[in-house]
Amino acid sequence: MAQHDDATALLDEDHNKVIRLFQMYKDAHEENPRRVLAHQICQELLVHMQLEEEIFYPAFRKATKDEEVLQDAEEEHEEARKMIARIEQAPTDARLMLELEDAILHHVNDEREDMFPEARKTKSLDLVQLARQIELRKTELMAQAA
């Protein structure tokens, strides 16, 4: 896995990957590719949310004390988990996938506009060290999922 400058860049790379996967899902017109892509999207999101909740959010909370931004992010994760559970039962339901995509795009925008800039401004937050922790944990989680 390539090294990244900081945790926000690493997490945003995950965002971009999932956005590309959503586009591939929309471009696929057969059930089997949609089923595979739905599974991959859900897996990527579940790992990403776990990384944020285990590593990034606690560090952000400690450094910034910004409970409002964190509460919003955690609520959005809970909403996404509920949608993922529904999609796992119906992976070819394009309407459900569109709902999940909309929720994820909203969440990504919130992080890009609010949380990540605040994290970059916070001197007590070591984003390079957090990136290393996230990369190591992501490797573990993806191996478990495989």
Side-chain angles (χ1 to χ4, degrees):
M1 198 177 294
Q3 284 290 340
H4 296 81
D5 291 348
D6 69 51
T8 61
L10 185 62
L11 293 171
D12 210 33
E13 185 177 290
D14 284 353
H15 294 158
N16 291 332
K17 180 178 183 178
V18 169
I19 290 167
R20 286 190 304 272
L21 289 170
F22 275 119
Q23 187 58 53
M24 290 169 66
Y25 182 94
K26 289 187 286 192
D27 291 344
H29 298 291
E30 295 174 14
E31 279 197 15
N32 203 39
R34 280 192 164 188
R35 190 179 322 282
V36 170
L37 286 163
H39 176 74
Q40 187 178 359
I41 289 166
C42 292
Q43 191 60 48
E44 291 283 340
L45 289 172
L46 290 170
V47 167
H48 177 82
M49 290 186 290
Q50 188 170 343
L51 293 169
E52 287 184 333
E53 292 165 2
E54 284 182 8
I55 300 169
F56 188 75
Y57 291 177
F60 182 86
R61 176 176 276 120
K62 184 178 179 186
T64 68
K65 312 284 191 266
D66 191 338
E67 289 298 324
E68 185 178 334
V69 167
L70 282 165
Q71 184 176 350
D72 285 347
E74 290 165 347
E75 287 171 4
E76 290 169 353
H77 279 193
E78 188 56 37
E79 178 187 350
R81 277 194 177 83
K82 289 175 184 172
M83 284 188 242
I84 288 168
R86 288 173 39 217
I87 287 166
E88 287 173 342
Q89 301 304 309
T92 58
D93 186 331
R95 184 186 53 77
L96 284 178
M97 287 299 288
L98 194 55
E99 285 179 33
L100 179 62
E101 181 184 29
D102 287 345
I104 295 304
L105 290 174
H106 175 83
H107 177 70
V108 166
N109 189 57
D110 285 351
E111 287 188 343
R112 286 177 175 168
E113 298 294 319
D114 300 325
M115 185 179 282
F116 291 173
E118 185 174 354
R120 286 189 212 92
K121 287 189 305 194
T122 303
K123 301 286 186 236
S124 63
L125 198 54
D126 186 346
L127 295 175
V128 174
Q129 178 58 31
L130 282 177
R132 287 190 203 107
Q133 289 178 296
I134 290 169
E135 283 184 319
L136 288 173
R137 183 67 173 133
K138 183 175 184 177
T139 300
E140 291 173 7
L141 293 172
M142 293 307 262
Q144 289 171 10

